[in-house]
Amino acid sequence: MRIVSLIDEREVIERILRHLGLWEEPVPFHPARAPPDGEGTVELFPGDPFPDYSREPVMDYDLCADA
């Protein structure tokens, strides 16, 4: 098998895909948002400025405890 032709014009590609029923409208662009303010974040290694990510995180709550 070998390549005999290349279609790189957007309009032609769109027309072919629309004819085959395979065209999907592009997702609208949304500008980037500002980073979160830090509220609600979890610090995995409290107080450690250079955490060793190979170790297990410190959990300050018991996931199995009854509420």
Side-chain angles (χ1 to χ4, degrees), residues 10-58:
R10 186 184 192 287
E11 295 81 20
V12 176
I13 295 169
E14 181 178 344
R15 209 171 25 177
I16 293 169
L17 292 176
R18 280 190 189 277
H19 174 75
L20 296 172
L22 299 173
W23 179 256
E24 295 181 8
E25 291 300 321
V27 177
F29 172 76
H30 294 288
R33 298 182 201 167
D37 61 0
E39 186 176 317
T41 59
V42 177
E43 189 175 347
L44 294 179
F45 302 100
D48 189 349
F50 303 103
D52 176 11
Y53 291 107
S54 65
R55 67 180 188 182
E56 291 294 315
V58 175

